[in-house]
Amino acid sequence: MPAAAEVRDERWPFLQSLPFRVVAFLSLALLPIGLLAIWQTQNLDETLRARTTLSLIALTELSISGERQTLQRAVGAATGQAVTYALTSADPKACSDAFRAFRDADRSIRFAGFLPPNGVINCSSETTPFTVGPPDAVSALALSPDPALIPRLREGEASADSVTLLQPVSQDGAIVGQIAMALPVNTLSQMPDIDNTEPPLSLVIFNYDGDIIAVQGEEPASSTVDISDGSFLQQGAQPRTFLAKNADGESRIFVVLTIVPGLAYAMAGWAPTEGFLADNVVALPSFFLPALMWLASLLVAYFAVHRLVVSPVQDLRGRMRKFASDRSLPKAKNSEMLPQELFDLEQTFVNMAYDLIDDEARMENNLREKNVLLKEVHHRVKNNLQMISSIMNMQIRTATTQESRHALKRLQDRVLGLATVHRYLYQSKDLARTDAAPLMADICGTVFTNLEESYPGADNKLEVDNFSLIPDQAVPLALLIGEVGTNAISHMSGAPGAKNFLHFSLRIISPGMAQFRCRNSARKDNPVAAGNKPDKGVGRQLIRAFSMQLGGKLETLDTEDAHTISMEFPITTVIPDALDY
């Protein structure tokens, strides 16, 4: 017996195609060269980018040199005031005089004083004491151990005019307050830079919390600096560069540097006008050119395989499918351009197709002859059974006793039932099956005719689902219906006014299972209905034999005026193999 054909997974047909496999193997062959080219290109790209970035960082360092010097001087002055504050802290007047003298000595200082935790400034360069708030924020600010640079100290003070430097004051190891120094913002830019030949387009000074202290050049995109990535705020952090947009939506390269660690930082904006960072240059990834070469080689390989192999094979496959569907054989396309191997395959298929057509023609003739012969067999069996029925009918007319006529009539009904089955078999298109509905209607019609002759006006009903029966089930079912119907008629009441009925049904109750049911009226002295032992006649024996042939089990239900017989049996769908005798 030939092995079953292998079933392939059709979810990804492209992955199983010949071009894909050729391209995949070629990719593996080119992979080392491609990786080497990508590595070299990426190294060159990274080197050029690093040099460009270092140039911008160096220019930014030069641009903030003046601001760094100013803030460092301010931090030094505030540190000195924090050390000497203890000398005058006990005398508020002497303390205020010292701060005023300090302010007057340096024009870059707008205000100097001591900020205690309660926010009441009694010692300052101002002539009168004043209070800053709110209390919670002032207390946290005054007790902070780290220097700070804030936009303003007092509420209502314009943040753009000055910036306040806070330096912690400690006594006996504890923070008691802050030295506050207010510096004009314009002093940050007055100190000349080391080299101002190439200033940035924008320069933003901001504190540790991201609050903007001073702005030079273009306006920033927001009022605060995003410090969510706080890595550049750490001590010794490397400068950070990134590409973003300014307030006008123009692309800029921003460089973030530390002016005074933990206190002030600068963000300079440069125009991306040259090198790898140019705004008008299309930045290609480092692997673009190697990948382009790799893709070009794969495309050449793919189209070569498709032109020389796949296209002829697809044409041959289409011709094979066309031949399989309607046995037509279209002409090949460009067979003279085929490689020799595919040309030989083409000729082999053509020869095989003609051989199959000849073999199928012979098989169809044989099958047609067998079908005709089988129909003739069924037809002759039906005619012979009808001839036997006619002979028995002659015998019935010459019988001298009622008992012999009844026995011959019962036998004649059985023969006619067999003839009916054979008639439906040779009339059906499928000689191995017959429909249950017309067969039931024909068999039950004969029974209902006998019922009308015996009991005029008796009610009859037939309910049937149509399904196919093989001959091994159609014959016993037809004979079973005839026997059950005849028995039902013989047990009906012949009393005047009796309501006799006979109901048949054949239903599909579940997939692969059918139920035959017969319900009929019965006279009250019926031995079965009365609970007596049923008779052992030929009819009863045949009913049990036919139910066994169908593979079912008979069940009966008797009431006072009705008798019901039912049977469930499996519907055979597979025709058993014929035995060769």
Side-chain angles (χ1 to χ4, degrees):
M1 182 177 179
E6 181 181 357
V7 179
R8 304 191 67 174
D9 189 359
E10 296 295 338
R11 291 178 296 179
W12 305 99
F14 178 73
L15 300 182
Q16 301 173 357
S17 62
L18 179 61
F20 174 80
R21 297 186 180 186
V22 173
V23 169
F25 281 113
L26 184 59
S27 300
L28 293 177
L30 297 176
L31 183 61
I33 301 176
L35 292 178
L36 180 61
I38 291 175
W39 177 75
Q40 291 178 341
T41 306
Q42 188 173 5
N43 282 346
L44 178 61
D45 178 74
E46 291 176 355
T47 301
L48 293 176
R49 288 180 180 274
R51 290 181 179 179
T52 305
T53 302
L54 288 176
S55 299
L56 291 179
I57 293 174
L59 291 174
T60 305
E61 287 282 2
L62 295 176
S63 300
I64 64 171
S65 59
E67 287 79 1
R68 177 180 284 121
Q69 186 177 356
T70 301
L71 287 176
Q72 287 176 345
R73 287 179 56 190
V75 170
T79 304
Q81 289 296 317
V83 172
T84 61
Y85 169 74
L87 301 176
T88 59
S89 60
D91 186 358
K93 183 177 183 306
C95 180
S96 296
D97 291 340
F99 276 117
R100 277 192 290 272
F102 175 71
R103 180 197 63 185
D104 295 339
D106 191 345
R107 290 181 298 175
S108 64
I109 299 175
R110 178 174 293 178
F111 166 81
F114 175 74
L115 176 64
N118 59 6
V120 179
I121 300 179
N122 294 317
C123 178
S124 70
S125 60
E126 298 292 329
T127 58
T128 58
F130 61 92
T131 303
V132 296
D136 294 340
V138 171
S139 177
L141 196 63
L143 297 177
S144 173
D146 300 320
L149 193 67
I150 59 177
R152 62 181 180 272
L153 180 63
R154 287 179 285 184
E155 294 183 0
E157 182 181 20
S159 60
D161 295 336
S162 63
V163 58
T164 301
L165 174 64
L166 299 178
Q167 181 67 31
V169 178
S170 62
Q171 293 180 359
D172 299 328
I175 304 298
V176 297
Q178 301 280 335
I179 295 296
M181 292 177 54
L183 306 174
V185 173
N186 55 10
T187 61
L188 297 179
S189 58
Q190 286 179 354
M191 181 66 67
D193 298 322
I194 297 176
D195 185 1
N196 199 25
T197 56
E198 296 185 26
L201 297 178
S202 64
L203 182 62
V204 176
I205 309 298
F206 61 96
N207 62 8
Y208 190 83
D209 296 326
D211 298 324
I212 294 178
I213 304 301
V215 177
Q216 300 178 24
E218 298 176 345
E219 290 294 325
S222 62
S223 59
T224 59
V225 178
D226 183 12
I227 58 172
S228 57
D229 180 13
S231 59
F232 63 88
L233 301 177
Q234 304 300 324
Q235 186 74 19
Q238 297 295 324
R240 176 190 173 195
T241 60
F242 60 93
L243 184 65
K245 295 184 181 297
N246 61 7
D248 297 329
E250 298 174 337
S251 296
R252 294 289 183 264
I253 298 175
F254 292 96
V255 180
V256 180
L257 295 176
T258 302
I259 299 178
V260 178
L263 191 67
Y265 304 86
M267 182 173 67
W270 301 88
T273 57
E274 58 180 83
F276 279 86
L277 303 179
D279 191 29
N280 56 352
V281 173
V282 178
L284 298 177
S286 58
F287 59 85
F288 179 76
L289 290 179
L292 185 62
M293 296 173 59
W294 171 79
L295 182 61
S297 63
L298 296 187
L299 288 176
V300 171
Y302 178 86
F303 284 110
V305 173
H306 190 276
R307 176 66 178 85
L308 298 177
V309 179
V310 175
S311 181
V313 171
Q314 288 178 342
D315 178 60
L316 181 59
R317 181 186 62 182
R319 297 177 64 210
M320 287 181 175
R321 289 180 175 177
K322 184 67 174 175
F323 176 77
S325 62
D326 56 8
R327 286 300 183 264
S328 62
L329 195 60
K331 185 179 179 181
K333 299 178 182 178
N334 300 325
S335 59
E336 64 278 0
M337 300 296 293
L338 293 177
Q340 184 61 41
E341 294 81 2
L342 294 180
F343 182 79
D344 294 340
L345 181 62
E346 166 74 20
Q347 294 302 313
T348 302
F349 163 68
V350 172
N351 296 334
M352 180 190 67
Y354 285 125
D355 291 341
L356 284 175
I357 292 174
D358 293 339
D359 293 341
E360 289 179 354
R362 288 193 295 267
M363 292 176 63
E364 288 179 359
N365 290 332
N366 293 337
L367 181 60
R368 190 179 299 107
E369 292 175 358
K370 291 180 180 180
N371 287 339
V372 171
L373 180 60
L374 188 56
K375 285 190 175 185
E376 183 64 22
V377 169
H378 283 299
H379 191 202
R380 293 196 179 189
V381 169
K382 187 265 299 183
N383 289 343
N384 291 337
L385 290 174
Q386 286 185 340
M387 183 178 296
I388 294 173
S389 175
S390 299
I391 295 173
M392 294 178 66
N393 192 34
M394 296 171 60
Q395 190 68 35
I396 290 172
R397 289 197 296 267
T398 59
T400 57
T401 63
Q402 182 65 27
E403 182 179 357
S404 60
R405 283 194 297 270
H406 178 71
L408 289 173
K409 179 63 176 175
R410 292 288 299 272
L411 185 58
Q412 184 186 35
D413 291 339
R414 294 163 186 153
V415 171
L416 289 176
L418 284 175
T420 301
V421 174
H422 282 280
R423 175 165 57 86
Y424 276 97
L425 284 174
Y426 83 77
Q427 288 179 348
S428 65
K429 294 181 179 180
D430 187 357
L431 297 177
R433 286 179 175 82
T434 185
D435 293 333
L439 179 62
M440 281 285 295
D442 201 325
I443 299 297
C444 294
T446 302
V447 176
F448 292 153
T449 300
N450 295 336
L451 173 65
E452 184 65 24
E453 292 177 355
S454 301
Y455 302 100
D459 180 50
N460 62 79
K461 183 171 66 174
L462 172 63
E463 297 177 349
V464 59
D465 293 335
N466 194 19
F467 56 93
S468 297
L469 291 172
I470 64 173
D472 288 349
Q473 285 190 312
V475 171
L477 180 62
L479 296 176
L480 175 66
I481 295 171
E483 293 298 330
V484 170
T486 302
N487 282 354
I489 295 173
S490 63
H491 290 91
M492 289 183 182
S493 174
K499 297 181 179 180
N500 293 315
F501 61 88
L502 178 58
H503 298 165
F504 288 108
S505 69
L506 181 62
R507 295 289 191 184
I508 296 178
I509 57 175
S510 64
M513 290 295 295
Q515 183 190 54
F516 167 73
R517 189 166 179 262
C518 175
R519 185 172 181 272
N520 62 275
S521 58
R523 60 177 181 268
K524 295 183 179 181
D525 60 346
N526 181 13
V528 177
N532 297 330
K533 185 177 181 180
D535 62 273
K536 299 296 183 178
V538 176
R540 288 283 178 175
Q541 294 178 9
L542 289 176
I543 291 175
R544 287 193 294 271
F546 296 147
S547 65
M548 291 177 62
Q549 280 187 282
L550 290 170
K553 183 179 179 180
L554 288 174
E555 295 181 358
T556 58
L557 176 63
D558 299 303
T559 58
E560 183 177 356
D561 58 350
H563 174 69
T564 304
I565 181 171
S566 62
M567 177 191 64
E568 296 180 4
F569 64 94
I571 302 173
T572 303
T573 57
V574 179
I575 302 175
D577 295 336
L579 299 178
D580 189 0
Y581 295 101

